[in-house]
Amino acid sequence: MQPLLWCFFSWRGRLNRQEFALAFFFLVLVTYLVGRILVQNMVGPTNAGQPWTAEDLTMAQTEAQMLAYVLTAWPTLTLQVKRLRDLGYSWLYLVGANIAVAAIMLIAPVIAIILAVIASLWLFFWPGKQA
């Protein structure tokens, strides 16, 4: 249990490619399952006694998924910081990358998504530095 708590909640240490990939995909699975559970609980057969409209249903599902992402934001950031440390970079690079992607998202969302995927692939596949 202690290694799991360290992996997902501690800022100290490093993660190699394999550890990062396993923890990241586990976190993606947890986020998806929490989102599905929240959607099932938030979206019932009726909306306060009224049938769901398409817009209300979409908004309720989006809110449930956003809540799931917020609940897993801390573990995601700790994984990314540890992986960047393994690559020999500071956590400030993560802050800069997130600010850049958010700024580009306002102007060109497709380009921002492509850049975020490229950054994620870099974290997955770039070999770390020896300790």
Side-chain angles (χ1 to χ4, degrees), residues 100-112:
V101 167
I104 295 171
M105 184 70 83
L106 296 173
I107 301 167
V110 174
I111 294 172

Side-chain angles (χ1 to χ4, degrees), residues 1-128:
M1 185 67 168
Q2 188 68 19
L4 284 177
L5 291 176
W6 168 81
C7 184
F8 292 111
F9 295 104
S10 173
W11 294 100
R12 300 194 189 282
R14 299 165 59 169
L15 290 175
N16 62 30
R17 285 185 284 185
Q18 180 183 11
E19 294 166 339
F20 176 76
L22 290 172
F24 186 79
F25 287 123
F26 174 75
L27 199 55
V28 167
L29 179 66
V30 167
T31 304
Y32 173 76
L33 292 176
V34 167
R36 293 298 300 165
I37 291 168
L38 289 172
V39 166
Q40 293 300 322
N41 289 331
M42 288 176 68
V43 179
T46 62
N47 180 16
Q50 303 296 321
W52 285 97
T53 63
E55 294 83 17
D56 289 340
L57 185 60
T58 303
M59 183 60 76
Q61 291 173 336
T62 303
E63 289 173 355
Q65 287 295 331
M66 286 174 50
L67 181 58
Y69 292 134
V70 167
L71 292 175
T72 58
W74 182 277
T76 301
L77 290 175
T78 60
L79 290 176
Q80 292 172 345
V81 166
K82 288 177 195 170
R83 179 64 182 140
L84 279 174
R85 191 173 293 134
D86 185 55
L87 295 172
Y89 296 102
S90 169
W91 59 271
L92 292 173
Y93 286 94
L94 180 64
V95 172
N98 285 331
I99 290 172
V101 167
I104 295 171
M105 184 70 83
L106 296 173
I107 301 167
V110 174
I111 294 172
I113 291 170
I114 291 169
L115 288 175
V117 167
I118 290 170
S120 297
L121 290 174
W122 178 72
L123 284 175
F124 278 118
F125 296 114
W126 198 264

